Amino acid sequence: MFCFQCQETAKGEGCSTKGVCGKPPEVANLQDLLIYLIKGIAISSKKADDKGIDQTDVNKFIIESLFATITNGNFNDDYFIDKIKEAIKIRDGINQEAALNPEELYDCQSWSFDSDDDIIEKSKHVGVLHVDSNEDLRSLKELITYGIKGFAAYADHAYVLGYTNSDIFSFVKRGLEATVDENQSADDLTALALETGKYAVESMALLDEANTSTYGTPEVTKVSLGVGSNPSILVSGHDLKDLEELLEQTKGTGVDVYTHGEMLPAHYYPFFKKYDNFVGNYGNSWWKQKEEFEAFNGPILLTTNCLVPPKESYLDRLYTTGNVSYKGANHISDRKEGGTKDFSQLIEQAKKCSPPEQLETGEIVGGFAKDTILSYKDTILSLVNQGKIKKFVVMAGCDGRFKSREYYTEFAENLPSDTVILTAGCAKYRYNKLDLGDIDGIPRILDAGQCNDSYSLAVVAMKLQEVLELDDINDLPIVYNVAWYEQKACTVLLALLHLGIKNIHLGPTLPAFLSENITNVLVKNFNMGTISDAQSDISKMIG
Ligand code: FSO
Ligand code: SF4
């Protein structure tokens, strides 16, 4: 195996024996093979689009498959073997319907497998290092692929809520095709990486529309951190539709529901406030889940990444759904057309469990998505004009388990009192429980929501640029200190670059998949850099 798609990759170079995330080598290889086949399907499906053949099911298969290979999502080799078999059927179906000649398309178009062992053997020879020997081209191709994986996740969430955009699907196919096109130069691929950012913005905008149209506009909300005395279910991941159906099914059962990790922002949506048993947030970001799931005592539902390979002690209480899977955990099947998922097994198990052990008390405040922040626009501009707010610091992105991430707590704690943090994603857990106070009523930490709600922060920046009549978005009093971990953060980064934002500090380390030359291109064109120590960075960024 070889995988270097996330920030925690072994030695900052690549995982080659087993993932630091716990991904077994067999699963890593099978993910490589699935991605390889998906690239072939993208080529065929693009041609079928051109012939006017309906590709709705194929589009869905492509985005779900890409999403399933994101870090910390799916650790189950059987899942990927099934997906690979399905991919072969889908590929042959398109080629037949569109009368395409597989020989002329891509080498994997003519592959077929006689057995699972055959699939496993083939999967050992299609990894990123086998496919491209030029480090710079490989680096750009991986940047594009990870950017597409990231926004495929957002497109999938929007899809589940009934929102799609054909331009996004078209770009997914065009982008994936380019990553296997030997005629693409480094310049072509660099342009395509920035174009990936355009579709990252569109996907986040689509998901924002899907979420706000379905669940209302996020509001400023206090979320309880303590626990009650009822048996309970914990929901983690990012999928709001799963949460909706779970809340509907737990109504009146005496079972409470808590959010974990990236589900925290669900509390900000008006729709979910009607459920009396939706009581609060439990624990922190994804990497602390082993202790927190143990202490929760009740069933835990993982709707998307980030899953950490579980301890035996709570495996029987762990439920996966969607494209999350772990051998030995329970799995809730997908909803049938027009139906809902069936969470009765979790609810029945919850009734037999003890209430959660209390980890914290108190509450935190969030819900500062774009409409809320912009409703304070006049107050904020007046505080900026009076010099009471000197800088906004965007600290969106992901959290991670490495000690180096303590930097972000130290950075937030030591920021001058005339700065305001804008955050989204699980990066927030490094500082969202600090008491940083407020500036004339504006809290110094404004949480917009999940990682995809980084879109909200970009919209706020664009709106402020317009109001202040600035020619360049980089003239705003906003600095960017973004933490990344997995491929959704790659998509957020590409989105920011597409919007012309420069001087982004990306940490705690730069991606291992970027070669020195490609890193230099980003430094030269966007003045992108990484972090050093908190105090020096504060002096450098805030002045
Ligand atoms: Fe975090 Fe995990 Fe949301 Fe990611 S929970 S790391 S960027 O999945 O998607 O922020
Ligand atoms: Fe390693 Fe990250 Fe890949 Fe997991 S996802 S195998 S930690 S690079």
Side-chain angles (χ1 to χ4, degrees), residues 423-439:
T423 191
C426 61
K428 65 168 88 51
Y429 282 99
R430 287 282 170 176
Y431 41 79
N432 67 344
K433 292 166 188 172
L434 298 175
D435 183 11
L436 297 189
D438 63 276
I439 302 176

Side-chain angles (χ1 to χ4, degrees), residues 67 70-72 153-154 236-238 260-263 285-287 304-307 397-400 424-428 449-452 483-490 492:
F67 191 2
I70 281 183
T71 302
N72 285 345
Y154 298 148
S236 196
H238 300 73
H260 174 266
E262 274 280 73
M263 288 301 282
S285 76
W286 64 270
W287 63 277
T304 70
N305 61 331
C306 280
L307 172 68
C398 326
D399 196 8
C426 61
K428 65 168 88 51
Q450 295 182 336
C451 41
N452 48 291
W484 83 287
Y485 170 54
E486 46 94 341
Q487 300 75 56
K488 288 185 233 173
C490 297
V492 171

Side-chain angles (χ1 to χ4, degrees), residues 227-245:
V227 295
S229 52
N230 289 334
S232 303
I233 295 171
L234 187 61
V235 190
S236 196
H238 300 73
D239 195 300
L240 297 180
K241 185 74 184 167
D242 287 340
L243 175 68
E244 176 192 338
E245 291 176 357

Side-chain angles (χ1 to χ4, degrees), residues 16 379 451:
S16 54
T379 313
C451 41

Side-chain angles (χ1 to χ4, degrees), residues 1 3-6 9 15 19-21 23 71:
M1 72 168 279
C3 180
F4 58 177
Q5 66 173 354
C6 83
T9 194
C15 298
V20 171
C21 59
K23 182 163 72 176
T71 302

Side-chain angles (χ1 to χ4, degrees), residues 26 59 102 108 117 144 165 172 174 258 262 276 300 407 479:
E26 300 76 25
N59 293 339
C108 66
D117 286 344
I144 294 165
N165 172 340
V172 167
R174 184 157 59 84
Y258 292 78
E262 274 280 73
D276 295 338
I300 304 127
Y407 161 94
V479 293

Side-chain angles (χ1 to χ4, degrees), residues 401-475:
R401 67 195 116 197
F402 286 1
K403 199 168 163 51
S404 53
R405 295 203 186 236
E406 287 172 5
Y407 161 94
Y408 293 103
T409 311
E410 198 190 334
F411 185 92
E413 261 171 342
N414 288 288
L415 278 169
S417 56
D418 52 9
T419 54
V420 172
I421 294 172
L422 303 174
T423 191
C426 61
K428 65 168 88 51
Y429 282 99
R430 287 282 170 176
Y431 41 79
N432 67 344
K433 292 166 188 172
L434 298 175
D435 183 11
L436 297 189
D438 63 276
I439 302 176
D440 287 8
I442 302 289
R444 288 195 53 232
I445 304 175
L446 302 179
D447 175 24
Q450 295 182 336
C451 41
N452 48 291
D453 294 308
S454 303
Y455 168 71
S456 257
L457 305 179
V459 170
V460 168
M462 290 189 288
K463 193 74 198 165
L464 289 180
Q465 181 192 359
E466 187 188 311
V467 173
L468 294 169
E469 297 179 356
L470 298 173
D471 291 336
D472 187 347
I473 198 162
N474 296 296
D475 291 338

